[in-house]
Amino acid sequence: MQLNKIYNTDCLELMAQMPDNFIDLVITSPPYNKNGIGGELVGKVSYGNHNDCLPENEYQELQIKILNELYRVSKMLFYNHKVRYDGFAIHPMEWIVKSKWKLWQEIIWNRKITGNLRGWRCWNIDERIYWLVKEKVDEISQPMAQWTSVWEITPERNIEHPAPFPEDIAKRCLHIGSKKGMIIYDPFMGSGTVAVVSHTYKRNWIGSEINTEYCAKAEKRLAPYLAQTFLF
């Protein structure tokens, strides 16, 4: 499998081609199945040819399937998601605990802004980053530990994607979970942030992105980096 490349394909199809433990670290944020479940942006956010409006039980079953395949092909995972609402709260731990991964830490991402403008609940300004492992991990440095379990990071702006992943989150996950030369994978590459950060800090990377439009935009964003692609 070629490194430093975005594959315009479904992540499960791509992972089926990977041997066990091929990936050192996964950093990802899947579509949230949000279209149709509350919020100001319902009906305004499009993921192109991806169906982001599955019945909730089907969405959770799909996430478990993806998490378990990530468990097979990789060694560690940072998984970004959020608490959603469909009448009542739907917490990501509902399906994470049904996967093979062990939860090492739940990190709160304080976005500082909200998409909710109604007063049914206190406005949500947080998302979650789940540090998932197979076994006990090595101690991290004090500077990394001092990032604490609450990360105050403003969402990205001026990137052509409805939900671009912040570079600062990718950087922190990358430094916590990998070293130079390791292979990083993002099964939902989106705007290409994980690839940009991985290349910048001398990691090899692989991405999959099912949406052709977003794949093209990510490749355009990555072009200056891909011009210098080499195996670290």
Side-chain angles (χ1 to χ4, degrees), residues 140-179:
I140 61 176
S141 70
Q142 280 299 305
M144 293 181 193
Q146 289 169 12
W147 287 332
T148 79
S149 60
V150 179
W151 293 358
E152 295 188 0
I153 297 172
T154 303
E156 294 283 357
R157 302 179 187 277
N158 303 317
I159 293 179
E160 295 183 79
H161 191 274
F165 199 54
E167 287 192 17
D168 284 347
I169 289 180
K171 288 176 188 177
R172 292 187 181 192
C173 296
L174 189 84
H175 288 305
I176 289 172
S178 70
K179 298 178 180 178

Side-chain angles (χ1 to χ4, degrees), residues 204-224:
N204 291 294
W205 54 269
I206 299 172
S208 50
E209 174 52 54
I210 196 171
N211 187 292
T212 303
E213 178 185 355
Y214 295 150
C215 188
K217 289 179 178 179
E219 288 177 342
K220 180 179 179 181
R221 180 183 177 190
L222 281 160

Side-chain angles (χ1 to χ4, degrees), residues 71-83:
Y71 184 92
R72 181 187 70 81
V73 304
S74 65
K75 301 168 186 175
M76 185 183 295
L77 165 61
F78 283 94
Y79 179 80
N80 168 228
H81 216 290
K82 68 181 292 183
V83 177

